[in-house]
Structure formats: C-alpha cells, structure tokens
Amino acid sequence: MRTLFFTILLFCIKVQAQGLTTDVRADENIYLYALKEYCNFSEISTKSIYVQFDSTVMWYDWPKIINDKKINYLDGSSEIIKEIKAQKDSIVLVKIIPLRYEKESFFVNVIPFLATVKGKDISLVNGGGLRVTFNYSDKNKGFAFSEIESY
C-alpha cells in the first residue's frame, strides 16, 4: 500500500512538472492556454466568444465554457456565415495563429476580427489582439508561459 502511495505521488509530481506542449490533443497545450488568457483578459466583456475552428491549433474536445464565457467553435465558412446572419450581420470572430518564433521567443497570437458577410464572402477587419509569449524549458521538456501583450 505504501509503495502504491509513493508511485501515485511521484506520478503526480511528474505530471505537474511537465511544461505546455504544442500537441492540440493534450490538456496542457499552448493554444488552449492562449485562448484561456484571451478569455481572462479584462478588455473582453462579452459573454459569448466565436472561435474559428482550426484543427492545427485546437481539438474537438476543447471546453465550451472558459471563465464564464461561452465558446462557440465555428468550423468552416458556412457555419461562420450562418452565425453572422443569426447575429444581425456581424460577429467578433477569434482566430488562434499557430506558434511562431521571433527574437528569441515563442508566441501565439489570438486575434479578434469583426466578421461580416456579403453574399458568400466573409470580410474580416482586424481590431488588435493578444500576443501570448512562451519560453521553452529544458527542465520541464515543454513551454512555460512568459507574458501577454495586447496590441
């Protein structure tokens, strides 16, 4: 029994010591972390957020509620157009841009766009965004959150 307890304790310590990953199926990945930071950002006052689904940066089992905000994942232009029309001709559509490296730092951009539709064409107007910066940790064999910058 004592051995089992120590085995479980060591496993828990190892899991906590691991860094964030780029694996979109993992619970602790940088893209989900960036979306959570966006939802926690004080300037985001809406209770419903529309996110353009992209399987390169997210997965199908991501949470539908983050920080009391309902997350609506829209997969494909037909879903986006349908939602824009349902919401009186415009929505704020959030895109998560894949990990990039610049000036010795890794970062993910979370960009809200004002999305409108004319016919079958979606128009996007950029209104700024968040840059979520990460450092790579050899010790944890993964990424660690560094800072957020609004632009």
Side-chain angles (χ1 to χ4, degrees):
M1 184 67 166
R2 194 173 186 187
T3 306
L4 178 63
F5 172 75
F6 284 116
T7 303
I8 292 172
L9 179 64
L10 286 173
F11 176 75
C12 291
I13 290 170
K14 180 176 170 79
V15 167
Q16 288 180 349
Q18 291 177 343
L20 296 167
T21 179
T22 57
D23 180 357
V24 297
R25 294 181 188 188
D27 290 335
E28 296 297 322
N29 72 71
I30 59 173
Y31 305 112
L32 182 55
Y33 190 95
L35 180 59
K36 288 178 180 178
E37 289 297 323
Y38 176 81
C39 291
N40 290 329
F41 198 62
S42 61
E43 294 179 18
I44 309 303
S45 59
T46 185
K47 290 294 180 187
S48 188
I49 296 174
Y50 299 96
V51 177
Q52 183 174 5
F53 184 82
D54 178 352
S55 64
T56 61
V57 296
M58 62 188 66
W59 200 243
Y60 300 94
D61 62 353
W62 273 24
K64 304 287 190 247
I65 296 176
I66 299 174
N67 193 32
D68 296 327
K69 291 177 175 48
K70 183 179 180 201
I71 311 299
N72 303 286
Y73 300 98
L74 303 177
D75 192 3
S77 58
S78 62
E79 281 189 22
I80 294 169
I81 291 170
K82 182 180 174 183
E83 196 60 42
I84 290 171
K85 289 180 177 179
Q87 298 298 323
K88 305 212 177 12
D89 297 325
S90 71
I91 61 172
V92 174
L93 182 64
V94 174
K95 287 188 173 191
I96 300 173
I97 308 302
L99 181 69
R100 298 186 331 193
Y101 181 79
E102 181 180 281
K103 297 181 184 173
E104 298 185 14
S105 66
F106 295 93
F107 62 95
V108 172
N109 287 345
V110 181
I111 305 173
F113 293 92
L114 177 63
T116 57
V117 67
K118 190 171 192 175
K120 293 183 179 185
D121 295 327
I122 300 169
S123 296
L124 301 175
V125 178
N126 184 343
L130 279 183
R131 176 181 168 134
V132 184
T133 304
F134 302 91
N135 295 321
Y136 185 80
S137 168
D138 282 331
K139 178 182 173 187
N140 294 337
K141 301 293 185 224
F143 294 94
F145 170 73
S146 175
E147 66 180 352
I148 295 176
E149 178 186 344
S150 174
Y151 57 91

